[in-house]
Amino acid sequence: MTVFFCEGNESKGKNVEKTSTLTKEEKAYFMCAAIGEAKKAQAIAEVPIGAVVVLEGEIIGRGHNLRETTQDATMHAEMIAIREACAKVGSWRLEDSQLFVTLEPCPMCGGAAMLSRVEEIYFGAYDPKGGATGSLLNLATDERFNHWSYVEAGILQAECSDLLRTFFKELRQKKKFASKKTSLPE
């Protein structure tokens, strides 16, 4: 498990070091809910990524990838969960909330979490090709922005990674089978 945070920059009057407000058991519980959302995506042939937004111990937003289904590039699990959470609280500000997502947020989703004032971000699997909360960059702890989040990686990492690995392995096998089928003489 990796924790990302920014050291305070006293010369600018900033102190962005934050800590988790949740227990290990709470983190696992809410990540399991995000995994449940990811399985919904998998069931409809979407990349299995799921997210939940939590406020005061209650899930107030849920989402799973719908990018292929809707042909909308913004229909990531985090975006859907954040929209639902904002609607539930009646505000764009999700202060004191936590975002749980099975895959490290991309720049769009990390930006949405920052702009909606999510206090804590927890993710399962790293995204070395597109992650914006620790892998390629870290929007959530960049002190140049006016809001920072606590970020913790590796929550139920094996389960989250296995979902993705299995999905892409099956997808490659289907594509391989389809290409063999089309190349057979009649």
Side-chain angles (χ1 to χ4, degrees):
M1 184 175 326
T2 305
V3 176
F4 300 99
F5 63 88
C6 231
E7 293 294 335
N9 185 340
E10 282 69 27
S11 66
K12 293 181 183 177
K14 296 179 180 180
N15 183 1
V16 296
E17 184 174 345
K18 296 184 178 189
T19 59
S20 176
T21 61
L22 302 176
T23 67
K24 184 177 179 179
E25 293 76 20
E26 289 171 318
K27 294 172 195 175
Y29 175 81
F30 292 121
M31 188 57 76
C32 281
I35 290 170
E37 289 296 315
K39 289 179 180 178
K40 290 178 185 178
Q42 186 175 26
I44 57 172
E46 289 277 357
V47 176
I49 301 169
V52 296
V53 176
V54 176
L55 182 63
E56 297 174 354
E58 177 188 347
I59 295 173
I60 60 168
R62 294 176 176 271
H64 55 275
N65 264 12
L66 290 172
R67 206 166 56 163
E68 295 297 328
T69 302
T70 63
Q71 289 300 295
D72 181 343
T74 67
M75 295 299 281
H76 288 201
E78 302 95 308
M79 299 295 287
I80 297 165
I82 288 170
R83 283 186 192 118
E84 187 175 295
C86 288
K88 177 127 184 183
V89 300
S91 174
W92 62 268
R93 289 180 180 91
L94 297 175
E95 294 165 336
D96 300 321
S97 69
Q98 297 89 25
L99 172 66
F100 286 82
V101 60
T102 56
L103 181 67
E104 179 181 358
C106 70
M108 174 180 66
C109 296
M114 177 183 58
L115 292 172
S116 62
R117 308 296 193 259
V118 168
E119 190 67 24
E120 301 168 33
I121 300 171
Y122 299 91
F123 67 86
Y126 286 92
D127 184 356
K129 294 181 181 178
T133 52
S135 287
L136 294 178
L137 64 141
N138 196 337
L139 292 174
T141 62
D142 189 324
E143 65 185 32
R144 294 172 294 177
F145 293 112
N146 66 341
H147 177 76
W148 309 276
S149 300
Y150 170 86
V151 178
E152 190 172 322
I155 308 296
L156 301 182
Q157 184 173 358
E159 293 91 329
C160 295
S161 296
D162 286 347
L163 265 176
L164 290 160
R165 193 173 9 266
T166 300
F167 175 82
F168 286 112
K169 181 180 179 183
E170 289 172 359
L171 187 63
R172 285 188 299 275
Q173 288 172 341
K174 285 178 188 174
K175 285 182 179 180
K176 186 176 180 180
F177 178 75
S179 70
K180 282 184 179 180
K181 194 174 180 182
T182 58
S183 64
L184 291 176
E186 291 187 35

